[in-house]
Structure formats: structure tokens, C-alpha cells
Amino acid sequence: LTPPPYVHALAFAGFAASVAWIYVLAAELVHVLQAVGHILGMSNTLLGLTVLSFANSVGDLVANMAMCRAGMPAMAAAACIGAPLLNLLLGLGGATLLGNWLVREPFPITLNMQLYTGLCFLIFALVAMLAYAVANKFQVGLWFGVMLMLIYGAFLSTCLGLEMWGGSRLLTANIGPELSAS
């Protein structure tokens, strides 16, 4: 039996429908997360830096652990750096490009205390990873993992502390440069 000539069109339509369903379900999950955060009095920034980022990383965690168990630790380590880098550069770059293309002018990004905190911890973690790897001749072991878990624990504690100490109004206020509306 030969497939009908429109089989490729059906495959493309099925792929498009799958992407649409994933988009709709992801949007609804984010709305549910925002509602729970609003009920609990948590800011969207804290939810994004903690719950949403954790949920977004579970798939990578499972895949990287499977690669390590299969005897490919170098590939898992490369994926740990490459996947977030791809997500950051293409995700933020694509969103910025599309946003500016649709609006036809630069749009402001609100920088707040929690985003600055996240950026500081990211830079610190990258420098600490590089320093540890160089100091140990690129042989990483148990203490490398412990160091990274401690950095993440400090990051999470700092975000929660900022949220509890300052409240969401302080943490979501723009602390970046004031942008003129010209």
C-alpha cells in the first residue's frame, strides 16, 4: 500500500496541532501558578525564579542523569550549560526581536531586586564553577555538586528572604534606569 499524497500535509497539521495544544496547556499552567501565587501573596518574579524555573528544568535533569548513567558525563555537562544558554539567548533574543518588530520601537524591561539577585547568583555560580574546575584540573567530583547545591540553596533562601522582608511591592518595583516615553 502506498500512502495517500496528502500524508505530509496531515503530518504537518498534526505537528501544528500538537504545538498549539502545548502552548494552550502551558499558558493555562502559568495562569494557575499566578493564581496560586496571588492567593499566597507571592510575586510573579519569585514564582518565575523558583517554581516555574524548577518545573522548566525537570526534563533537563532527567535527561542529564540518564546521560550520566549511560556513561556520557561530558555530554550531560555540556547539556547543563548549553540548554540554559540556548534558552536564554534564543528565548530572550527571540522575544525581544519579535516584540520590537511588532511594536516598532524598543519596549522597556522592568528590572527589579529579584532579577538583579538572580543575575548576581548566576554570575557567581558560573565563576565558582570555573574556578573549582580549574583548581581541580577539570576533575569534578562530589564537592563540586555540593558547592552547586549550596549556591542554589543560598539563592533560594535569598529570594524567599527578600520576598518576606520586602514584600512583592518592593521586589517588583523598577530599580533600573528610568526610561523616558519619548
Side-chain angles (χ1 to χ4, degrees):
L1 287 172
T2 60
Y6 53 85
V7 70
H8 295 296
L10 288 177
F12 181 75
F15 176 75
S18 298
V19 169
W21 272 108
I22 290 170
Y23 173 77
V24 168
L25 291 174
E28 287 304 312
L29 284 172
V30 168
H31 289 126
V32 167
L33 182 62
Q34 284 179 319
V36 169
H38 183 70
I39 291 168
L40 296 176
M42 297 172 68
S43 68
N44 287 340
T45 305
L46 180 66
L47 291 172
L49 286 173
T50 55
V51 179
L52 193 58
S53 63
F54 180 76
N56 194 26
S57 301
V58 169
D60 290 339
L61 174 67
V62 171
N64 292 338
M65 290 180 70
M67 282 188 272
C68 284
R69 286 189 182 130
M72 298 179 278
M75 185 184 292
C80 285
I81 300 297
L85 184 65
L86 175 80
N87 193 9
L88 178 67
L89 297 179
L90 290 184
L92 185 59
T96 304
L97 184 67
L98 183 63
N100 282 296
W101 180 67
L102 293 174
V103 176
R104 302 273 188 229
E105 63 185 48
F107 57 93
I109 296 177
T110 303
L111 299 174
N112 58 43
M113 183 64 80
Q114 286 184 337
L115 292 179
Y116 278 128
T117 303
L119 180 62
C120 289
F121 270 95
L122 175 63
I123 291 169
F124 176 74
L126 292 173
V127 170
M129 286 174 21
L130 182 61
Y132 184 95
V134 169
N136 291 294
K137 299 179 183 160
F138 292 92
Q139 298 293 318
V140 296
L142 175 70
W143 291 109
F144 183 74
V146 169
M147 176 189 74
L148 294 179
M149 292 296 170
L150 288 173
I151 292 171
Y152 183 73
F155 165 70
L156 193 58
S157 298
T158 302
C159 287
L160 290 171
L162 286 172
E163 181 85 10
M164 291 178 357
W165 173 71
S168 62
R169 180 170 290 170
L170 168 71
L171 298 175
T172 57
N174 187 9
I175 60 173
E178 291 299 321
L179 302 173
S180 63
S182 58

